[in-house]
Amino acid sequence: MSRSRKITVNALTRVEGEGALHIRIDGNEIAEVRLCIYEPPRFFEAFLCGRSIQDVPDMTARICGICPVAYQMVSVHALEAALGIAVTPEIRQLRRLLYCGEWIESHALHIFMLNAADFFGCANGIELAKQFPERINDGLRIKKTGNSIVEILGGRAIHPVNVRVGGFHRLPSRDELTSLLQPLCGALDAAIDSAEWIAGFDFPSFEPDCEWVALHHPDEYAMNEGVIASTRFPAIDVGEYERDFAETQVAHSNALHSTRRDHPSSYLLGPLARLTLNRHRLVPDALRLANRIAPPSLMQNRFRSILARIIEVVSCLQQAILIIEEYRETKEAFMPHVAKAGFGCAATEAPRGMMYHHYEISDDGLVTKAKIVPPTSQNQRQIESDLCLYLPQLIHEPDEIIAAECEKLIRTYDPCISCSTHAVTIDRGPR
Amino acid sequence: MTNLPMKEKKRLAVFKFASCDGCQLSLLSCEDELLALADKVEIVHFLELSSHTQTGPFDLTLVEGSISTHEDEDRIREIRRQSRVLVTIGACATAGGIQSLRNWADHDEYLQRVYAHPEYIDSLATSTAISDHVTVDFELRGCPVDKVQLLEVVLAFINQRRPNIPSHSVCLDCKRRGVVCIAVTQAKPCLGPITQAGCGAICPAYHRPCYGCFGPCDQANAKAMSEHYLEVGVTPLQMIHQLRNMNSAAKLFQIESNRIESEHPTNRPAP
């Protein structure tokens, strides 16, 4: 007689925000897998309406404390598209530098404090630090360097204040930025050592085929802009995103699910997708490192996302050094503009994957419509589908092992649950 | 670094309600102090950091986020029951957060605007501070909190003393930083005069007006300030929006934005 099992993780740990996992197994069949995002709704898209476009980057930053720069960048890009503003090359480079800072600190947090512990049977990074004190101290130093970039350019590391439509409120002095060079060089050495360490981890085997989606830029490792590239379909302009991709609401999650409109299958965003689609745009030293320790043939494995992240950290540290070395002070902190009615959209690469925003604005510069599609709601269906494929190899294990192993797989996505601004209610136990 | 024996360590818990995670992240942003702090306290519940979770009682509980669902109203009462000292961290926990902008709106309309099936959603029509629901021992302001202040609060409570957190206005810190006063020299609605210090006066230092992310300071005269800005050309809607941000439900900001709305009608609904 077949036995029915229900496995529940009431509160996912070492992820950003709050979510639960429900699994039902009937005999040897995976009957149901539900990733439930129970983060309460916060209604950003509703209360942005009626606000001045100048308020938008301060407000969207509050969607997420871990990737506020991503929210600020994508929202100002979308609003600039609506107003027809083109920023100077200097402003563009400083935005890229700010984004490098966020990728470095967000990835370092995930790698060293949240994810690496999974490969050593530890409950957290602090416990792992007892086994590898130098590695974790290096990780914290790398993270601090990323935070320092955001602090100097943005005013503070969490919810920076310096980003505005058209550019920045104030440009940094050359001295402020060059003060970062020494710590950045130290962090770069530490990150290369860390990459070698991580490449030696014992990765569970799990490389199911799927569609990988990321921005792609002809000249650089795409961060702030590019076309939307895919491993299965031709690349499209960001303006065609809503023609090809759609969000649907499901009963079990406060986050909306994203799929392609014509192909209702899931797709995967994030560092593995970026490395797959943009490897040759890595900064040269990072590319050599990647080709040696992370060849493309291995990087379908979801558990190697930690390796993709550290390679991106190396690339960002080198990129940051190059931008700072080339920085010359200019007068124009932002592009002046007049309000006019319009529509604009943009996509950028948050640390955990591509994010899309669109805004409609009135002729007096107020937002009349906002749409925000964060990376985690796009990855949510892929996470569920991956769990369905991963579970059969665990099915004979006790419930607690299954729960722990599934949680490890979810963690490889670095899901940012607070970001999934469209939130929900589901059945769940205490947390 | 000496490892204290487990039984002498205080039991620290961190809980989250509606929020962006930024304030608990401030604890993880203490890159130079985190491992030493972990030697001083036993972190028994901190979902974002650790898969080890234990039940109460807790010596010190840090709460991030606002109350915005029926279930969270119950959850915060249970957490209070298990906590010897309960400290709220950040604008969401101390003033309802940015999500309290819904307090001025039609909640049903908000639900319909964001969700195709609003019936799936459990959400209160308001987002409120933790102290509106349970007794709070100390409130640490900021959106986000300042990590140095956060460390001070944790160390103060594990050493059983009152934290030393200033309650003066941003203006004082701005003067100390040597920044030219935006309120005096530019017709921009800087909230520095009525906002509590703690951020380091970063906005004026980055050539922009303070937007009040640390909430109201002690003895603030909000009416005098906003009437000055209205006289020098700031529109009522701009002034209301300046007050209605991440601390919109803080009492002083709430009263003042409502006053401007009633005494200086705008053509548009706010927020």
Side-chain angles (χ1 to χ4, degrees):
Chain A
M1 200 176 90
S2 76
R3 191 166 67 96
S4 183
R5 299 158 76 185
K6 275 187 183 169
I7 301 169
T8 300
V9 180
N10 284 318
L12 297 168
T13 59
R14 286 185 275 137
V15 297
E16 200 270 350
E18 301 203 310
L21 175 67
H22 299 277
I23 299 167
R24 192 160 55 81
I25 301 172
D26 290 334
N28 287 324
E29 295 286 310
I30 311 301
E32 191 175 35
V33 172
R34 288 185 295 145
L35 176 68
C36 302
I37 290 184
Y38 55 68
E39 188 79 25
R42 291 191 293 145
F43 302 112
F44 278 86
E45 288 157 319
F47 61 63
L48 280 166
C49 294
R51 299 293 295 220
S52 158
I53 57 170
Q54 298 300 349
D55 293 345
V56 171
D58 296 330
M59 296 177 91
T60 53
R62 266 69 189 180
I63 293 172
C64 178
I66 295 188
C67 50
V69 170
Y71 278 94
Q72 294 190 325
M73 286 296 103
V74 68
S75 56
V76 294
H77 281 302
L79 291 167
E80 285 161 11
L83 294 166
I85 299 171
V87 299
T88 63
E90 289 79 15
I91 291 170
R92 186 181 186 281
Q93 283 300 82
L94 285 178
R95 284 182 168 174
R96 190 164 169 81
L97 178 61
L98 187 65
Y99 228 144
C100 283
E102 178 159 287
W103 278 28
I104 295 165
E105 63 84 13
S106 172
H107 279 353
L109 172 73
H110 184 72
I111 293 166
F112 296 96
M113 297 311 291
L114 310 181
N115 193 189
D118 282 338
F119 296 89
F120 298 93
C122 295
N124 54 58
I126 291 170
E127 215 177 284
L128 187 65
K130 293 194 170 72
Q131 280 184 50
F132 299 101
E134 283 177 28
R135 296 291 178 207
I136 301 304
N137 273 317
D138 272 357
L140 290 169
R141 190 152 59 97
I142 296 165
K143 178 172 176 295
K144 187 177 174 177
T145 316
N147 275 340
S148 302
I149 295 175
V150 184
E151 277 163 19
I152 285 180
L153 254 183
R156 65 180 161 202
I158 301 170
H159 305 327
V161 303
N162 196 19
V163 171
R164 56 162 288 164
V165 175
F168 292 93
H169 291 280
R170 171 173 85 72
L171 293 182
S173 71
R174 190 163 157 70
D175 285 350
E176 280 178 296
L177 288 189
T178 51
S179 72
L180 288 166
L181 283 174
Q182 200 186 358
L184 281 169
C185 291
L188 179 58
D189 291 340
I192 292 169
D193 289 349
S194 302
E196 305 274 359
W197 175 58
I198 290 166
F201 285 6
D202 186 12
F203 297 99
S205 152
F206 184 60
E207 41 274 318
D209 191 30
C210 72
E211 181 189 358
W212 308 77
V213 172
L215 289 182
H216 173 79
H217 190 278
D219 307 319
E220 58 193 20
Y221 200 78
M223 272 184 161
N224 280 54
E225 60 189 88
V227 293
I228 299 173
S230 156
T231 50
R232 286 203 183 150
F233 299 98
I236 58 167
D237 286 333
V238 172
E240 294 164 328
Y241 176 85
E242 289 178 63
R243 183 197 67 191
D244 285 11
F245 294 86
E247 291 177 288
T248 51
Q249 192 179 354
V250 292
H252 69 264
S253 177
N254 283 352
L256 305 177
H257 277 205
S258 293
T259 58
R260 282 195 179 258
R261 283 188 196 277
D262 299 336
H263 307 271
S265 60
S266 52
Y267 56 95
L268 189 148
L269 303 173
L272 284 172
R274 289 194 291 252
L275 201 58
T276 299
L277 288 155
N278 299 319
R279 170 179 293 258
H280 294 290
R281 301 278 87 82
L282 284 168
V283 177
D285 286 354
L287 176 59
R288 274 190 291 278
L289 179 75
N291 287 342
R292 189 160 56 76
I293 65 172
S297 57
L298 295 181
M299 300 307 279
Q300 296 277 311
N301 185 335
R302 309 298 191 260
F303 290 96
R304 286 184 195 266
S305 67
I306 188 171
L307 192 53
R309 280 190 184 91
I310 193 72
I311 285 163
E312 289 193 337
V313 169
V314 170
S315 191
C316 285
L317 286 164
Q318 289 186 322
Q319 175 84 82
I321 291 168
L322 291 173
I323 293 173
I324 292 171
E325 283 175 345
E326 285 170 9
Y327 177 65
R328 297 286 174 274
E329 288 175 33
T330 55
K331 282 199 175 135
E332 279 174 318
F334 59 90
M335 310 307 292
H337 51 269
V338 284
K340 62 174 183 185
F343 159 85
C345 64
T348 66
E349 286 285 344
R352 39 198 68 67
M354 185 187 72
M355 165 148 59
Y356 172 86
H357 283 205
H358 97 213
Y359 297 94
E360 285 172 31
I361 55 180
S362 62
D363 54 10
D364 50 358
L366 302 181
V367 174
T368 53
K369 191 177 172 203
K371 181 184 172 88
I372 296 169
V373 188
T376 294
S377 67
Q378 297 180 79
N379 267 341
Q380 203 184 343
R381 185 164 287 198
Q382 183 66 45
I383 297 174
E384 289 182 355
S385 128
D386 277 358
L387 286 165
C388 288
L389 296 171
Y390 189 53
L391 275 162
Q393 55 184 287
L394 299 170
I395 211 160
H396 301 295
E397 301 285 349
D399 288 4
E400 58 276 15
I401 301 280
I402 295 180
E405 293 305 312
C406 286
E407 223 188 323
K408 286 182 189 171
L409 178 59
I410 292 170
R411 219 171 274 127
T412 67
Y413 289 88
D414 190 10
C416 196
I417 296 174
S418 299
C419 279
S420 312
T421 53
H422 331 67
V424 200
T425 290
I426 42 266
D427 58 301
R428 58 180 179 268
R431 46 179 153 135
Chain B
M1 227 187 305
T2 37
N3 281 327
L4 284 172
M6 225 41 141
K7 67 178 169 46
E8 288 178 28
K9 288 185 182 178
K10 302 287 185 192
R11 290 165 59 83
L12 173 73
V14 181
F15 287 95
K16 173 188 150 62
F17 290 81
S19 68
C20 77
D21 276 43
C23 292
Q24 38 178 330
L25 181 68
S26 298
L27 209 52
L28 302 180
S29 286
C30 298
E31 292 98 359
D32 295 332
E33 302 88 2
L34 184 64
L35 297 180
L37 181 72
D39 268 345
K40 287 190 184 301
V41 295
E42 190 190 355
I43 299 172
V44 294
H45 189 283
F46 188 175
L47 293 180
E48 183 166 353
L49 173 68
S50 177
S51 300
H52 273 164
T53 55
Q54 298 176 35
T55 51
F58 312 113
D59 292 309
L60 172 61
T61 297
L62 302 176
V63 177
E64 172 191 280
S66 67
I67 302 301
S68 68
T69 67
H70 294 96
E71 188 192 329
D72 283 350
E73 289 180 303
D74 297 334
R75 191 158 66 98
I76 190 59
R77 283 191 211 105
E78 180 55 25
I79 290 169
R80 173 69 269 188
R81 208 179 57 72
Q82 296 189 26
S83 307
R84 199 167 61 78
V85 173
L86 189 146
V87 173
T88 52
I89 57 171
C92 297
T94 61
I98 197 157
Q99 51 276 3
S100 64
L101 288 171
R102 78 175 72 167
N103 301 1
W104 283 268
D106 181 332
H107 183 241
D108 287 341
E109 191 213 317
Y110 264 32
L111 277 171
Q112 277 159 20
R113 209 186 289 187
V114 180
Y115 296 97
H117 295 284
E119 67 276 12
Y120 296 162
I121 310 290
D122 166 37
S123 169
L124 294 167
T126 55
S127 165
T128 43
I130 301 297
S131 63
D132 289 340
H133 302 267
V134 295
T135 305
V136 170
D137 297 297
F138 190 81
E139 295 190 315
L140 183 67
R141 302 280 195 74
C143 181
V145 293
D146 175 74
K147 68 179 184 183
V148 178
Q149 290 197 342
L150 182 59
L151 276 179
E152 160 62 13
V153 166
V154 172
L155 293 176
F157 280 101
I158 60 178
N159 292 310
Q160 299 181 325
R161 63 174 172 82
R162 197 79 190 155
N164 180 18
I165 301 293
S167 57
H168 59 252
S169 78
V170 169
C171 291
L172 246 75
D173 285 5
C174 205
K175 299 293 163 291
R176 282 198 192 113
R177 201 168 169 161
V179 174
V180 174
C181 179
I182 284 182
V184 172
T185 61
Q186 300 181 36
K188 288 181 183 168
C190 181
L191 293 192
I194 63 164
T195 297
Q196 182 168 305
C199 64
I202 43 178
C203 284
Y206 280 77
H207 301 178
R208 59 172 300 190
C210 162
Y211 58 95
C213 63
F214 271 62
C217 63
D218 281 356
Q219 300 174 320
N221 188 338
K223 184 178 177 188
M225 182 204 68
S226 41
E227 287 300 319
H228 163 75
Y229 290 133
L230 292 170
E231 277 166 28
V232 297
V234 175
T235 69
L237 188 67
Q238 282 173 326
M239 203 57 236
I240 291 167
H241 281 170
Q242 192 71 338
L243 291 159
R244 288 186 190 163
N245 267 319
M246 44 297 308
N247 283 290
S248 59
K251 205 166 224 175
L252 182 94
F253 287 6
Q254 186 179 326
I255 290 170
E256 183 57 12
S257 74
N258 287 345
R259 184 195 70 81
I260 298 169
E261 199 167 33
S262 63
E263 294 180 20
H264 301 272
T266 64
N267 295 327
R268 287 175 180 275

